[in-house]
Short mmCIF file of all heavy atoms in Angstrom, two decimals:
data_model
loop_
_atom_site.label_atom_id
_atom_site.label_comp_id
_atom_site.label_asym_id
_atom_site.label_seq_id
_atom_site.Cartn_x
_atom_site.Cartn_y
_atom_site.Cartn_z
N LYS A 257 70.84 92.89 120.87
CA LYS A 257 69.80 93.93 120.81
C LYS A 257 68.93 93.83 122.06
O LYS A 257 68.71 92.74 122.58
CB LYS A 257 68.91 93.71 119.59
CG LYS A 257 69.68 93.55 118.30
CD LYS A 257 69.50 94.71 117.41
CE LYS A 257 70.15 94.42 116.06
NZ LYS A 257 70.63 95.51 115.34
N ASP A 258 68.46 94.99 122.48
CA ASP A 258 67.52 94.96 123.61
C ASP A 258 66.11 94.69 123.07
O ASP A 258 65.92 94.47 121.87
CB ASP A 258 67.61 96.25 124.43
CG ASP A 258 67.19 97.48 123.63
OD1 ASP A 258 66.55 97.33 122.56
OD2 ASP A 258 67.51 98.59 124.08
N GLU A 259 65.11 94.73 123.93
CA GLU A 259 63.74 94.37 123.51
C GLU A 259 63.18 95.33 122.47
O GLU A 259 62.24 95.01 121.75
CB GLU A 259 62.80 94.26 124.74
CG GLU A 259 62.63 95.53 125.55
CD GLU A 259 63.71 95.72 126.62
OE1 GLU A 259 64.75 95.04 126.58
OE2 GLU A 259 63.48 96.56 127.51
N ASN A 260 63.80 96.53 122.34
CA ASN A 260 63.35 97.50 121.33
C ASN A 260 64.15 97.42 120.04
O ASN A 260 63.98 98.25 119.15
CB ASN A 260 63.44 98.92 121.90
CG ASN A 260 62.56 99.09 123.13
OD1 ASN A 260 61.42 98.66 123.14
ND2 ASN A 260 63.11 99.70 124.16
N GLY A 261 65.06 96.45 119.99
CA GLY A 261 65.86 96.30 118.78
C GLY A 261 67.05 97.22 118.71
O GLY A 261 67.66 97.38 117.65
N ASN A 262 67.39 97.87 119.82
CA ASN A 262 68.55 98.76 119.84
C ASN A 262 69.82 98.00 120.22
O ASN A 262 69.76 97.02 120.95
CB ASN A 262 68.32 99.91 120.84
CG ASN A 262 67.16 100.78 120.43
OD1 ASN A 262 67.02 101.14 119.26
ND2 ASN A 262 66.30 101.10 121.39
N TYR A 263 70.93 98.51 119.74
CA TYR A 263 72.23 97.91 120.03
C TYR A 263 72.45 97.81 121.53
O TYR A 263 72.28 98.79 122.25
CB TYR A 263 73.33 98.74 119.37
CG TYR A 263 74.72 98.21 119.64
CD1 TYR A 263 75.19 97.09 118.96
CD2 TYR A 263 75.55 98.83 120.57
CE1 TYR A 263 76.45 96.60 119.21
CE2 TYR A 263 76.83 98.35 120.81
CZ TYR A 263 77.28 97.23 120.13
OH TYR A 263 78.52 96.75 120.37
N ALA A 264 72.83 96.64 122.00
CA ALA A 264 72.99 96.45 123.44
C ALA A 264 74.32 95.77 123.78
O ALA A 264 74.44 95.12 124.81
CB ALA A 264 71.82 95.66 124.00
N GLY A 265 75.28 95.88 122.90
CA GLY A 265 76.59 95.31 123.20
C GLY A 265 76.96 94.18 122.27
O GLY A 265 76.24 93.88 121.32
N MET A 266 78.11 93.59 122.55
CA MET A 266 78.62 92.53 121.69
C MET A 266 78.43 91.17 122.34
O MET A 266 78.64 91.01 123.53
CB MET A 266 80.10 92.76 121.39
CG MET A 266 80.32 94.01 120.53
SD MET A 266 81.90 94.01 119.67
CE MET A 266 83.06 93.78 121.00
N GLY A 267 78.01 90.21 121.54
CA GLY A 267 77.82 88.85 122.02
C GLY A 267 79.00 87.98 121.69
O GLY A 267 80.14 88.39 121.77
N LYS A 268 78.69 86.76 121.26
CA LYS A 268 79.78 85.81 121.04
C LYS A 268 80.49 86.04 119.71
O LYS A 268 79.94 86.65 118.79
CB LYS A 268 79.23 84.39 121.13
CG LYS A 268 78.29 83.98 119.99
CD LYS A 268 77.89 82.53 120.19
CE LYS A 268 77.16 81.89 119.03
NZ LYS A 268 76.16 82.59 118.33
N LEU A 269 81.71 85.55 119.65
CA LEU A 269 82.52 85.63 118.43
C LEU A 269 81.87 84.77 117.35
O LEU A 269 81.56 83.60 117.57
CB LEU A 269 83.94 85.15 118.75
CG LEU A 269 84.96 85.22 117.61
CD1 LEU A 269 85.19 86.65 117.17
CD2 LEU A 269 86.27 84.59 118.06
N LEU A 270 81.68 85.34 116.16
CA LEU A 270 80.98 84.62 115.09
C LEU A 270 81.90 83.80 114.19
O LEU A 270 81.44 82.91 113.50
CB LEU A 270 80.20 85.63 114.23
CG LEU A 270 79.09 86.38 114.94
CD1 LEU A 270 78.46 87.40 113.99
CD2 LEU A 270 78.03 85.43 115.46
N ASN A 271 83.18 84.14 114.19
CA ASN A 271 84.09 83.41 113.28
C ASN A 271 85.32 82.88 114.02
O ASN A 271 86.45 83.16 113.64
CB ASN A 271 84.50 84.31 112.11
CG ASN A 271 85.11 85.63 112.54
OD1 ASN A 271 84.96 86.06 113.68
ND2 ASN A 271 85.84 86.26 111.64
N PRO A 272 85.08 82.11 115.11
CA PRO A 272 86.23 81.61 115.89
C PRO A 272 87.14 80.69 115.08
O PRO A 272 88.31 80.53 115.44
CB PRO A 272 85.57 80.87 117.06
CG PRO A 272 84.21 80.51 116.57
CD PRO A 272 83.81 81.63 115.65
N GLU A 273 86.64 80.12 113.97
CA GLU A 273 87.46 79.22 113.17
C GLU A 273 88.59 79.96 112.46
O GLU A 273 89.55 79.34 112.00
CB GLU A 273 86.59 78.46 112.16
CG GLU A 273 85.96 79.33 111.06
CD GLU A 273 84.70 80.08 111.51
OE1 GLU A 273 84.32 79.99 112.70
OE2 GLU A 273 84.10 80.78 110.67
N ASP A 274 88.51 81.30 112.38
CA ASP A 274 89.55 82.07 111.70
C ASP A 274 90.77 82.33 112.59
O ASP A 274 91.76 82.87 112.12
CB ASP A 274 88.99 83.43 111.25
CG ASP A 274 87.97 83.28 110.13
OD1 ASP A 274 87.84 82.15 109.60
OD2 ASP A 274 87.31 84.27 109.80
N PHE A 275 90.68 82.01 113.87
CA PHE A 275 91.75 82.36 114.81
C PHE A 275 92.07 81.17 115.71
O PHE A 275 91.24 80.28 115.90
CB PHE A 275 91.30 83.53 115.70
CG PHE A 275 90.71 84.67 114.92
CD1 PHE A 275 89.34 84.80 114.78
CD2 PHE A 275 91.53 85.60 114.30
CE1 PHE A 275 88.79 85.85 114.03
CE2 PHE A 275 90.99 86.64 113.55
CZ PHE A 275 89.62 86.76 113.42
N THR A 276 93.28 81.19 116.28
CA THR A 276 93.60 80.18 117.28
C THR A 276 93.03 80.64 118.63
O THR A 276 92.70 81.82 118.80
CB THR A 276 95.12 79.99 117.43
OG1 THR A 276 95.68 81.20 117.97
CG2 THR A 276 95.78 79.68 116.09
N GLU A 277 92.93 79.71 119.58
CA GLU A 277 92.43 80.09 120.91
C GLU A 277 93.31 81.17 121.54
O GLU A 277 92.83 82.08 122.20
CB GLU A 277 92.43 78.86 121.83
CG GLU A 277 91.18 78.03 121.70
CD GLU A 277 91.15 76.87 122.69
OE1 GLU A 277 91.62 77.05 123.84
OE2 GLU A 277 90.67 75.79 122.30
#
Side-chain angles (χ1 to χ4, degrees):
K257 309 250 187 208
D258 64 16
E259 61 274 15
N260 299 316
N262 297 316
Y263 179 76
M266 294 200 305
K268 69 177 191 317
L269 182 63
L270 297 177
N271 55 342
E273 67 280 3
D274 292 350
F275 311 97
T276 66
E277 275 184 37

